[in-house]
Amino acid sequence: MNAPKADPHRPHAPALTLTDPRTGRPRGTSVLGREREVGAAVAAARDAAAAWRALTPGERAGRIGGLASLVERHAATYAERERAGTGKPRAEAESEVAGAAELLRFYAGAARARTAPAAGRLVEGHESWVRWEPFGTVAAIVPWNYPLMMAAWRCAPALAAGNTVVLKPAETTPDSAALLAEHAAEALGAGVLVTLPGDRETGRLLVAARVDMVAFTGSAAAGAHVAAAAGTRRVSLELGGNGPALVLPDAPEHTWDDLAAAVTYNAGQSCAAPARVITLPENYATAVARLTAALARRHAGRDFGPLNNAEQAARWDRIVGASAARVRRAARIAPGTGEREGHWRPATLLADVPPDDPAVVDEVFGPLLTVQRAAGVDEALALANGVPQALAGSVWTRDLATGLDLAGRLDAGEAWLNCHLVQTPELPHGGRGASGAGTDLSVLALDEYQRPKTVTARLR
């Protein structure tokens, strides 16, 4: 496939060489937006804002549904673009493209079903109601782990709420976002959804530009910079996780394979992936043995893709290399023909690790599970809640009452019982602490991109 090319008529915009994470070899170039590109993108979105806002929810829903249809019609092309930038297996890419289309349709309908709070004759002689109004133009800055899906998570509710969007994809994965912008221009109208390829500097310039809100998904460090630069403007932040999995002695038989599948999906490059398995003394040895066996059945190159880029691969090597784990188990790497130089890393287990181990306290963002042993359930919960991130976690036990109690006590925005990474557009997803603030998915995410206005009229 052809990656986005640098425009020869824009000599001031530098270009980035894109690489294929499966091979490590160059695959094309992409423009890195600077002042002129950022200004043009924001101006186009602002020019389109009034007309897009003026549409009825039903009219916007029809157009967003049209965009979903275009994504579905060109699903094969979207999947290939996703694979070019991420190296995902075909089945993963195709599933995520379908999920992005589903999310567009979900929010197209969800915005029409909104009900305003506190409407009616609430003060004697007066009638009051609440209007939900869009912010205007939203800067959506998304990461490279799920390029199209994360774009849909941010853009779908923002568009449905009546905002226009400037979408900045990650510098290594501009491919599907460029196609989305083409289809958005056809389905939504010019300027309603504009894609701005670029790097960190592009993102900095976009946040500093005349946008009314910033929706950012990425690292905690970058999120802190975004929040500071945004000032008093609305900011929605999803800043990663370091998910615990509390595995009790009576965990169901499917626990081990489910955790192995969840931590290797997308090569573990998911903010909500399980990362830290926490057991009790009586099932610690069993957990290490069963997880080792389950991970050994998951081969990088056959069952999951590579890490996204050289920087991420180097970070993996640094954290895993610095770990003081006394038990290390790594599965096989099985890349395809010509892919040996890609950013492949094996499904790995580290056990007998200290609580301050870098593989425990840092978000590794790869196919890695650590295993820790707690003296009891309360200590296990303390370990689970003992890192700065608080995005998602899971509990594994056949005792429903115990499992629900522990899930409720996890410091996380999303908790699973006897499963992990089970998500649907109807259910909210959001972080706490160092994992950010804000809500993705569900009708609640519409509140991220709208603000209420109370209107009260005197009747006499």
Side-chain angles (χ1 to χ4, degrees):
M1 62 145 285
N2 294 320
K5 303 292 185 181
D7 185 344
H9 302 295
R10 296 194 176 196
H12 300 297
L16 171 75
T17 297
L18 300 173
T19 61
D20 187 331
R22 295 166 292 192
T23 65
R25 293 194 293 268
R27 64 181 184 86
T29 59
S30 176
V31 167
L32 299 179
R34 292 298 181 258
E35 285 87 351
R36 185 166 65 172
E37 290 73 27
V38 172
V42 172
R46 293 190 73 85
D47 287 346
W52 181 251
R53 172 177 175 161
L55 295 176
T56 65
E59 290 170 331
R60 283 197 298 270
R63 297 193 188 188
I64 294 171
L67 177 57
S69 294
L70 285 172
V71 172
E72 290 167 338
R73 192 179 311 157
H74 298 275
T77 303
Y78 275 103
E80 284 307 307
R81 291 197 175 204
E82 288 287 278
R83 297 190 73 213
T86 65
K88 295 175 185 285
R90 187 178 305 278
E92 284 188 17
E94 291 173 348
S95 174
E96 289 162 20
V97 171
E102 179 192 14
L103 206 60
L104 288 166
R105 293 193 190 283
F106 174 82
Y107 280 108
R112 302 186 70 181
R114 288 298 301 267
T115 57
R121 196 73 57 88
L122 304 174
V123 179
E124 178 61 32
H126 298 75
E127 187 80 16
S128 299
W129 62 95
V130 176
R131 294 170 51 95
W132 284 94
E133 300 179 343
F135 283 91
T137 295
V138 175
I141 303 173
V142 299
W144 41 253
N145 55 338
Y146 298 102
L148 184 63
M149 183 67 79
M150 290 296 98
W153 278 31
R154 291 303 194 177
C155 294
L159 292 168
N163 302 279
T164 57
V165 179
V166 179
L167 169 65
K168 196 205 86 64
E171 61 191 272
T172 60
T173 54
D175 310 81
S176 56
L179 184 58
L180 185 65
E182 294 176 21
H183 289 150
E186 179 181 344
L188 309 180
V192 177
L193 171 57
V194 182
T195 290
L196 176 68
D199 56 4
R200 290 182 178 89
E201 176 64 11
T202 312
R204 186 190 67 78
L205 292 169
L206 178 57
V207 173
R210 290 184 62 220
V211 294
D212 302 296
M213 175 188 167
V214 181
F216 175 83
T217 303
S219 72
H225 288 299
V226 167
T232 57
R233 290 173 292 173
R234 170 73 69 86
V235 177
S236 179
L237 301 173
E238 204 266 63
L239 305 180
N242 191 3
L246 276 65
V247 181
L248 300 189
D250 64 343
E253 184 64 25
H254 59 78
T255 297
W256 324 108
D257 284 334
D258 284 5
L259 284 173
V263 79
T264 55
Y265 185 85
N266 199 35
Q269 297 169 124
S270 172
C271 298
R276 301 176 293 124
V277 174
I278 302 167
T279 76
L280 301 185
E282 53 265 42
N283 68 318
Y284 173 78
T286 297
V288 170
R290 297 295 299 274
L291 287 171
T292 296
L295 290 171
R297 294 189 285 269
R298 308 284 298 176
H299 297 171
R302 185 193 71 184
D303 301 303
F304 60 93
L307 299 186
N308 181 259
N309 53 73
E311 181 180 342
Q312 177 63 13
R315 184 174 181 274
W316 161 282
D317 294 340
R318 184 171 63 254
I319 293 174
V320 174
S323 174
R326 286 184 279 196
V327 176
R328 293 172 178 259
R329 302 286 186 266
R332 287 185 55 201
I333 294 177
T337 303
E339 296 181 344
R340 291 252 165 223
E341 300 306 313
H343 306 309
W344 305 98
R345 294 299 184 272
T348 301
L349 181 140
L350 300 178
D352 203 357
V353 290
D356 60 350
D357 195 86
V360 171
V361 298
D362 294 334
E363 182 186 23
V364 179
F365 220 55
L368 172 72
L369 285 175
T370 60
V371 184
Q372 297 173 274
R373 175 172 41 205
V377 171
D378 288 340
E379 183 179 312
L381 189 66
L383 287 174
N385 294 338
V387 299
Q389 306 92 341
L391 181 64
S394 57
V395 179
W396 303 78
T397 175
R398 289 184 174 90
D399 186 327
L400 180 61
T402 297
L404 290 175
D405 176 65
L406 288 173
R409 293 162 66 192
L410 277 178
D411 185 16
E414 189 165 9
W416 293 284
L417 177 57
N418 295 331
C419 57
H420 203 111
L421 281 186
V422 177
Q423 294 175 316
T424 177
E426 289 88 349
L427 295 174
H429 171 82
R432 303 172 177 181
S435 290
T439 299
D440 289 313
L441 301 180
S442 83
V443 294
L444 299 179
L446 289 168
D447 293 343
E448 296 290 299
Y449 304 96
Q450 293 178 308
R451 49 193 168 182
K453 174 188 287 182
T454 298
V455 178
T456 297
R458 180 171 176 173
L459 302 181
R460 59 181 183 275

